Amino acid sequence: MADGPTGAVLALLGVFSVYAASGSRPVVEKETGGEAEPWDGAVFRPPSALGAVGMTRSPRTQRPGREEAGDLPVLLWWSPGLFPHFPGDSERIECARGACVASRNRRALRDSRTRALLFYGTDFRASDAPLPRLAHQSWALLHEESPLNNFLLSHGPGIRLFNLTSTFSRHSDYPLSLQWLPGTAYLRRPVPPLQERAEWRRRGYAPLLYLQSHCDVPADRDRYVRELMRHIPVDSYGKCLQNRELPTARLQDTATATTEDPELLAFLSRYKFHLALENAICNDYMTEKLWRPMHLGAVPVYRGSPSVRDWMPNNHSIILIDDFESPQKLAEFIDFLDKNDEEYMKYLAYKQPGGITNQFLLDSLKQREWGLNDPLLPNYLNGFECFVCDHELARLDAEKAHAASPGDSPIPEPHIAQPSHMDCPMPTPGFGNVEEIPENDSWKEMWLQDYWQGLDQGEALTAMIHNNETQQRKFWDYLHEVFMKRQHL
Ligand SMILES: *[C@@H]1O[C@H](CO)[C@@H](O)[C@H](O)[C@H]1NC(C)=O
Ligand SMILES: *[C@@H]1O[C@H](CO)[C@@H](O)[C@H](O)[C@H]1NC(C)=O
Ligand SMILES: *[C@@H]1O[C@H](CO)[C@@H](O)[C@H](O)[C@H]1NC(C)=O
Ligand SMILES: *[C@@H]1O[C@H](CO)[C@@H](O)[C@H](O)[C@H]1NC(C)=O
C-alpha cells in the first residue's frame, strides 16, 4: 500500500500493456509496412515505413534576422518510432507561419519551450503517457489507422485527452480520409476487356475475389464472407478462408509480391468483383481495399466506412454489403450483374470522361496539401508536423497579445479533440447476433474485451491527469479484479 492508489493504478496499467504485448495476436498491424496484413499494406507505405524519406527541411535554411533555434517552440515526438527526420534527434522545420524545432529527445519534456507533444495512436499506451500533464503543452495525435491498434482512442475519455488530431476522419484537424487514394487518374485507369474476364470465368474462376491474410479483426469480416460463400462462388487467396492458391510461387511469397506488384495486380484484375471489407468499421476509414479494385476496373463489394457514399466518384460505383438484407440476396444481385454486362458496366461509368461527378471528392483531393508518393508535396507526417507548428505559433501569438492587452485580446479558447475524430462504434459480429455467438468465440473474446478495456484505460488516465482519487480508487479496484481473473486463466 506504500505506493498509494496512483502508483498502483499506474503499475496495473503497465501490467496491462505487458499483457497486450505478449498476447497471441499482433498488437501493431502495420508497423513493418504490411507484414501482419501482407496483401493489403504495401501500396503506399504507411508513414512508419517512410522513416528517413520525408521532406525534411535543412537546418541551414535559416534566414538572417530570424530567431535562433533556441527560442523556437519545440514539438516533441513522444512516440519513438515515427520521427520524420534523419539523422539526429532534433531538427528545425520551416512552416507557413514560421519555424519550430521538431525533436524526439524526451529530455525536452519539461522544457518551457516544448509546446506540443506528438503521439502516434498505435504506440500510445496509458502506462507511457507523460504525466503529470503540463498546462502549456498541447497533445497532438496522429492516427491514420483503424482502432484495431488501440481502442482507447475510440472512446470519449481517450480522444478528449488530445488537443489536435490527424486521423482518417474528415472531422479531425488535419484529415487523412483519402490517405490511400493518389488522385483521380488512379480511378480513371481503363477497364480490361470484359471478354478476357468472361474467358477466366469459363476456365473456372469465380465471379468474386477475396484476398485476405489478416483474419481475426474487429469487423469480423470472415464470418460474413464464409456465409456469402454458401450462396455464390468466391475464390479466396491469402490465409483467411483460403480455397485457392495464387498461380506462382513468386506471387504466393508476400516478401516478393507486394500489393503494388504489377504481376499481382494483373492477376487480381481477372476478377469482376472484389470483396472489400475493412478491418474495422469507422466513419471515413477507407483503405486500399476499396480503391484498389476501382483502379483495376473491378467492382468493390464493400463493407467499411458507413459514410463511404460521400466519397465515391459517382452514386453508382460500388456495391454496399449492408444494402442487402442477407448474404443470399447479395449473392443473387452479384449473380445478376455477372450475367448482365450492360448493368455491370454502369458501375464503371465513372471511368468515362466527366464520369467523376462527386464535387466533394474532387474538392477534397484538390484541397489536401499532402501527397502520396508525390515528390512535390510533403507526406502527411511532415504535413501534420507543420500543422501543429503553425497552430502553436498562432497560440503563442494569441497568448502574447493577451498578456499585452488583456482587455482587447481574450485568452485563447482551449482546443479539444472530439469523438467524431475517431468515430468507431462498438464492434459487432460480421454476421448474425452477438447473443448467438458462443462466449469462447475468438472474435468475442478478443475484440469486445479490447473495446471495453480501451474505455477503462482512457477513463483511468483521465482520472490520473485530474488527480481524482475517488475515480482512481474505482479503477484500481476494477483493474485489480481483471488482473486476478487473468492470473487464474
Ligand atoms: C445518381 O445520380 C444521377 C445523376 O446525377 C441521378 O439522376 C440519380 O437520381 C442518382 N441516383 C441516386 C440513387 O441517387
Ligand atoms: C488540451 O486539452 C485538454 C483536455 O484534454 C484541455 O484541458 C486543455 O485546456 C487543452 N489545451 C489547449 C492548449 O487547448
Ligand atoms: C467452445 O465451447 C464449445 C462448447 O462449450 C466447445 O464445443 C468448443 O470446442 C469451444 N471452442 C473453442 C474454440 O474453444
Ligand atoms: C471524481 O470522480 C468522481 C467519480 O467519477 C466524481 O463523482 C467526482 O465529481 C470527481 N471529483 C472531482 C474533483 O473531479
Side-chain angles (χ1 to χ4, degrees), residues 66 117 133 297 329 337 340 348 376 441:
R66 298 288 303 254
L117 303 184
R133 184 172 180 166
K329 287 275 189 300
L337 292 181
N340 193 325
L348 297 162
L376 299 177
D441 178 87

Side-chain angles (χ1 to χ4, degrees), residues 451-466:
Y451 179 79
W452 293 116
Q453 281 179 14
L455 177 61
D456 294 328
Q457 294 215 12
E459 289 189 336
L461 191 50
T462 305
M464 280 186 286
I465 286 170
H466 296 133

Side-chain angles (χ1 to χ4, degrees), residues 27-31 47-48 77-82 117-129 139-154 158-159 161-162 164-168 176 380-381 384 421-422 450 454 457 461:
V27 173
V28 174
E29 184 179 25
K30 283 201 256 178
E31 192 149 63
S48 51
W77 280 94
W78 193 252
S79 300
L82 219 63
L117 303 184
L118 278 58
F119 301 89
Y120 185 49
T122 298
D123 301 339
F124 184 83
R125 292 287 174 268
S127 55
D128 184 44
W139 282 20
L141 171 72
L142 176 77
H143 196 43
E144 87 291 15
E145 292 194 14
S146 84
L148 173 142
N149 290 311
N150 197 348
F151 267 109
L152 184 150
L153 305 168
S154 307
I159 195 74
L161 295 167
F162 298 91
L164 300 172
T165 60
S166 180
T167 71
F168 49 76
L176 306 174
Y380 55 71
L381 203 49
F384 177 59
H421 298 190
M422 190 81 203
D450 239 54
Q457 294 215 12
L461 191 50

Side-chain angles (χ1 to χ4, degrees), residues 26 29 34-41 210-217 221-222 236-242 246 251-254 259 277 288-289 292:
E29 184 179 25
E35 226 170 85
E37 205 165 19
W39 295 108
D40 316 307
Y210 189 48
L211 176 63
Q212 200 63 72
S213 286
H214 192 178
C215 310
D216 271 318
V217 295
R221 54 193 166 203
D222 286 359
S236 180
Y237 304 89
K239 292 192 191 114
C240 318
L241 308 176
Q242 182 177 20
L246 286 160
L251 289 183
Q252 287 162 22
D253 181 358
T254 55
T259 42
L277 289 82
E288 83 288 357
K289 287 179 192 63
R292 185 182 54 207

Side-chain angles (χ1 to χ4, degrees), residues 241-286:
L241 308 176
Q242 182 177 20
N243 59 16
R244 283 187 86 124
E245 290 271 9
L246 286 160
T248 66
R250 204 185 73 80
L251 289 183
Q252 287 162 22
D253 181 358
T254 55
T256 50
T258 61
T259 42
E260 56 209 305
D261 183 276
E263 192 187 337
L264 181 67
L265 292 182
F267 176 77
L268 301 182
S269 65
R270 293 173 182 176
Y271 287 89
K272 288 162 92 169
F273 303 91
H274 293 197
L275 279 165
L277 289 82
E278 305 291 2
N279 64 30
I281 309 295
C282 310
N283 268 308
D284 296 345
Y285 180 63
M286 299 163 286

